[in-house]
Amino acid sequence: MYVLETRGLRKNYGAEGEVCVHALRGVDLQVRKGELLAIMGPSGSGKSTLLHILGGVETPSSGQVLLEGVDLATLNDDQRTIIRRERMGFIFQSFNLLPAFTAEENVALPLELGGTASAEARRHAADTLKLVGMSHRRSHVPSTLSGGEQQRVAIARALVMRPALLLADEPTGNLDSANGRQ
C-alpha cells in the first residue's frame, strides 16, 4: 500500500472558458513509506496548489487523493482536520510559529491539541528539538530566533507527531548547508 497516492488529480480556478486556469491536469503519483518525492517546476506551475491538495487544505476539481488508502474527498472538514493533525506534517516557507509561544510550546502544541498530556507533549517536543539541534533555544520565542532557527523549530513541529506524510514547501531555504543536510 502507498502512503500517498493520487489518481487523475485536476484543479481548475475560475469558470470554464476564457477565465479558467487549469492549475493541475491529471496528476498521478504514488509514494511509498520512506520514499522522498521532490516536486519541481517554475513559478506558477501548480506546485503549491498540489501541496495544498495533497494536504487536504484544498479540494481537487476532480480526481482522488488517498492517504494510507483513505480518500480525503470522503471525509468531512472535521475528519480532514484530524487526519492532517495526526497523520501529516507541514513545513511552510513562512514558518507559521505562534509568536507568544516558546519554541518548545510551538512544537508541543500539535500533541496537546491531539489530547496528549502537557508534560508528555513537552517531553516529546524537547526530544524533537534536540533532533534538529535546537535544544539550547527551546525556551525562546520566535522573535528572538534567527530565520534558520525558526525553520528548524517549524521542522520539529512537523516531525513531532511522527506523521505518515511530511509535506514541505522549500523546507531548507532558510538553513545553512550543514543544517539543510541534517
Side-chain angles (χ1 to χ4, degrees):
M1 177 168 65
Y2 298 108
V3 172
L4 177 69
E5 183 177 8
T6 68
R7 299 175 184 158
L9 204 58
R10 295 180 175 276
K11 181 65 176 182
N12 302 322
Y13 293 102
E16 282 296 326
E18 55 193 74
V19 295
C20 185
V21 174
H22 302 284
L24 302 176
R25 298 177 188 214
V27 176
D28 294 310
L29 62 89
Q30 297 86 30
V31 181
R32 290 181 174 84
K33 183 178 181 176
E35 191 171 18
L36 176 66
L37 173 68
I39 301 167
M40 299 169 30
S43 180
S45 63
K47 300 180 303 291
S48 293
T49 296
L50 180 58
L51 281 177
H52 290 144
I53 291 172
L54 295 178
V57 176
E58 284 189 47
T59 57
S61 299
S62 63
Q64 292 180 296
V65 176
L66 296 104
L67 178 67
E68 298 178 316
V70 176
D71 186 347
L72 297 183
T74 65
L75 305 176
N76 64 36
D77 286 341
D78 290 341
Q79 291 169 321
R80 274 195 307 277
T81 297
I82 291 168
I83 206 167
R84 275 195 304 269
R85 183 179 64 228
E86 294 179 356
R87 303 304 300 148
M88 296 181 191
F90 293 91
I91 305 170
F92 302 99
Q93 281 180 293
S94 59
F95 317 130
N96 292 340
L97 300 174
L98 296 173
F101 282 35
T102 66
E104 185 174 85
E105 290 167 338
N106 267 285
V107 175
L109 184 61
L111 292 167
E112 291 176 2
L113 290 173
T116 301
S118 184
E120 184 179 348
R122 293 283 180 101
R123 185 174 49 77
H124 286 297
D127 290 345
T128 310
L129 284 165
K130 182 178 182 181
L131 181 70
V132 298
M134 288 296 294
S135 291
H136 66 293
R137 306 284 277 169
R138 67 191 238 196
S139 63
H140 290 74
V141 294
S143 64
T144 65
L145 301 173
S146 71
E149 289 173 329
Q150 289 183 54
Q151 188 68 32
R152 287 188 281 162
V153 172
I155 291 168
R157 182 188 55 203
L159 294 174
V160 75
M161 295 291 291
R162 300 184 183 270
L165 177 66
L166 184 62
L167 298 171
D169 190 359
E170 299 188 33
T172 59
N174 290 298
L175 301 179
D176 58 59
S177 57
N179 281 310
R181 278 191 304 276
Q182 179 187 0

